[in-house]
Amino acid sequence: MGLKRTDEFRADAVRIALTSGLTRKQVADDLGVGMSTLNTWTTAHRDTNVVSKDDLELAQENDRLRRENRLLKEEREILKKGEAIFRHWSEDNGRTSSLRA
């Protein structure tokens, strides 16, 4: 039979799962509980005061900022690649035009 967890542990696990920005799998692994157990606890505690409205809003803002940051990094990498291609193209055209002259 599994280890009996305290209500405080369950509440903390739910708070972490909902506000940390980590996946449920990561939280479950870190806490040493199964995914289905964590999901059950989260469902059971969803309507309680385990997580304050301010905490949820902060977590949502963090998620939005992480997505925006990831997008900006991807865009920067695309621009770097485009710059490298343009620089290579410019250098090749410079050599070619001087050979023709």
mmCIF file of all heavy atoms in Angstrom, residues 3-12 41 45:
data_model
loop_
_atom_site.group_PDB
_atom_site.id
_atom_site.type_symbol
_atom_site.label_atom_id
_atom_site.label_comp_id
_atom_site.label_asym_id
_atom_site.label_seq_id
_atom_site.Cartn_x
_atom_site.Cartn_y
_atom_site.Cartn_z
ATOM 1 N N LEU A 3 2.184 5.284 0.472
ATOM 2 C CA LEU A 3 2.399 6.160 1.608
ATOM 3 C C LEU A 3 1.233 7.142 1.723
ATOM 4 O O LEU A 3 0.800 7.741 0.746
ATOM 5 C CB LEU A 3 3.708 6.929 1.395
ATOM 6 C CG LEU A 3 4.123 7.923 2.449
ATOM 7 C CD1 LEU A 3 4.444 7.188 3.754
ATOM 8 C CD2 LEU A 3 5.359 8.682 1.995
ATOM 9 N N LYS A 4 0.697 7.289 2.938
ATOM 10 C CA LYS A 4 -0.410 8.215 3.189
ATOM 11 C C LYS A 4 0.159 9.630 3.323
ATOM 12 O O LYS A 4 1.018 9.884 4.146
ATOM 13 C CB LYS A 4 -1.145 7.809 4.471
ATOM 14 C CG LYS A 4 -2.276 8.706 4.844
ATOM 15 C CD LYS A 4 -3.491 8.421 4.012
ATOM 16 C CE LYS A 4 -4.662 9.204 4.612
ATOM 17 N NZ LYS A 4 -5.639 9.540 3.651
ATOM 18 N N ARG A 5 -0.294 10.535 2.485
ATOM 19 C CA ARG A 5 0.182 11.914 2.494
ATOM 20 C C ARG A 5 -0.755 12.780 3.339
ATOM 21 O O ARG A 5 -1.967 12.570 3.339
ATOM 22 C CB ARG A 5 0.251 12.493 1.078
ATOM 23 C CG ARG A 5 1.061 11.689 0.107
ATOM 24 C CD ARG A 5 2.524 11.678 0.464
ATOM 25 N NE ARG A 5 3.250 10.921 -0.544
ATOM 26 C CZ ARG A 5 4.530 11.044 -0.759
ATOM 27 N NH1 ARG A 5 5.255 11.826 -0.027
ATOM 28 N NH2 ARG A 5 5.106 10.322 -1.697
ATOM 29 N N THR A 6 -0.199 13.778 3.994
ATOM 30 C CA THR A 6 -1.006 14.672 4.821
ATOM 31 C C THR A 6 -1.797 15.630 3.936
ATOM 32 O O THR A 6 -1.462 15.857 2.773
ATOM 33 C CB THR A 6 -0.122 15.495 5.773
ATOM 34 O OG1 THR A 6 0.704 16.357 4.991
ATOM 35 C CG2 THR A 6 0.719 14.599 6.660
ATOM 36 N N ASP A 7 -2.839 16.211 4.495
ATOM 37 C CA ASP A 7 -3.631 17.199 3.763
ATOM 38 C C ASP A 7 -2.775 18.406 3.393
ATOM 39 O O ASP A 7 -2.938 18.980 2.320
ATOM 40 C CB ASP A 7 -4.835 17.651 4.594
ATOM 41 C CG ASP A 7 -5.892 16.565 4.709
ATOM 42 O OD1 ASP A 7 -5.909 15.657 3.852
ATOM 43 O OD2 ASP A 7 -6.705 16.629 5.646
ATOM 44 N N GLU A 8 -1.856 18.783 4.285
ATOM 45 C CA GLU A 8 -0.972 19.906 4.008
ATOM 46 C C GLU A 8 -0.074 19.600 2.805
ATOM 47 O O GLU A 8 0.123 20.443 1.929
ATOM 48 C CB GLU A 8 -0.113 20.219 5.226
ATOM 49 C CG GLU A 8 0.787 21.416 5.044
ATOM 50 C CD GLU A 8 1.633 21.714 6.283
ATOM 51 O OE1 GLU A 8 1.550 20.981 7.273
ATOM 52 O OE2 GLU A 8 2.394 22.696 6.213
ATOM 53 N N PHE A 9 0.459 18.379 2.744
ATOM 54 C CA PHE A 9 1.291 17.972 1.616
ATOM 55 C C PHE A 9 0.485 18.026 0.324
ATOM 56 O O PHE A 9 0.958 18.538 -0.700
ATOM 57 C CB PHE A 9 1.846 16.557 1.839
ATOM 58 C CG PHE A 9 2.705 16.069 0.710
ATOM 59 C CD1 PHE A 9 4.060 16.353 0.683
ATOM 60 C CD2 PHE A 9 2.160 15.314 -0.329
ATOM 61 C CE1 PHE A 9 4.863 15.903 -0.357
ATOM 62 C CE2 PHE A 9 2.950 14.863 -1.370
ATOM 63 C CZ PHE A 9 4.298 15.158 -1.383
ATOM 64 N N ARG A 10 -0.743 17.514 0.373
ATOM 65 C CA ARG A 10 -1.593 17.525 -0.815
ATOM 66 C C ARG A 10 -1.875 18.950 -1.284
ATOM 67 O O ARG A 10 -1.803 19.254 -2.477
ATOM 68 C CB ARG A 10 -2.906 16.812 -0.536
ATOM 69 C CG ARG A 10 -2.759 15.332 -0.317
ATOM 70 C CD ARG A 10 -4.081 14.716 0.037
ATOM 71 N NE ARG A 10 -3.903 13.318 0.401
ATOM 72 C CZ ARG A 10 -4.891 12.497 0.660
ATOM 73 N NH1 ARG A 10 -6.133 12.929 0.606
ATOM 74 N NH2 ARG A 10 -4.640 11.250 0.977
ATOM 75 N N ALA A 11 -2.203 19.819 -0.331
ATOM 76 C CA ALA A 11 -2.497 21.209 -0.672
ATOM 77 C C ALA A 11 -1.268 21.887 -1.282
ATOM 78 O O ALA A 11 -1.371 22.622 -2.272
ATOM 79 C CB ALA A 11 -2.969 21.971 0.565
ATOM 80 N N ASP A 12 -0.097 21.642 -0.707
ATOM 81 C CA ASP A 12 1.135 22.212 -1.256
ATOM 82 C C ASP A 12 1.415 21.668 -2.653
ATOM 83 O O ASP A 12 1.853 22.412 -3.542
ATOM 84 C CB ASP A 12 2.330 21.930 -0.337
ATOM 85 C CG ASP A 12 2.309 22.769 0.925
ATOM 86 O OD1 ASP A 12 1.593 23.796 0.960
ATOM 87 O OD2 ASP A 12 3.015 22.400 1.885
ATOM 88 N N TRP A 41 -5.722 14.958 -6.791
ATOM 89 C CA TRP A 41 -5.626 15.998 -5.766
ATOM 90 C C TRP A 41 -5.968 17.368 -6.346
ATOM 91 O O TRP A 41 -6.671 18.158 -5.724
ATOM 92 C CB TRP A 41 -4.229 16.050 -5.169
ATOM 93 C CG TRP A 41 -3.822 14.859 -4.376
ATOM 94 C CD1 TRP A 41 -4.605 13.838 -3.929
ATOM 95 C CD2 TRP A 41 -2.495 14.547 -3.936
ATOM 96 N NE1 TRP A 41 -3.854 12.910 -3.250
ATOM 97 C CE2 TRP A 41 -2.561 13.336 -3.228
ATOM 98 C CE3 TRP A 41 -1.271 15.182 -4.081
ATOM 99 C CZ2 TRP A 41 -1.430 12.742 -2.662
ATOM 100 C CZ3 TRP A 41 -0.152 14.595 -3.508
ATOM 101 C CH2 TRP A 41 -0.233 13.393 -2.807
ATOM 102 N N HIS A 45 -9.019 19.739 -5.142
ATOM 103 C CA HIS A 45 -8.727 21.007 -4.477
ATOM 104 C C HIS A 45 -8.949 22.234 -5.364
ATOM 105 O O HIS A 45 -8.709 23.353 -4.946
ATOM 106 C CB HIS A 45 -7.271 21.022 -3.989
ATOM 107 C CG HIS A 45 -7.036 20.164 -2.799
ATOM 108 N ND1 HIS A 45 -6.747 18.832 -2.905
ATOM 109 C CD2 HIS A 45 -7.054 20.454 -1.476
ATOM 110 C CE1 HIS A 45 -6.584 18.327 -1.698
ATOM 111 N NE2 HIS A 45 -6.769 19.286 -0.816
#
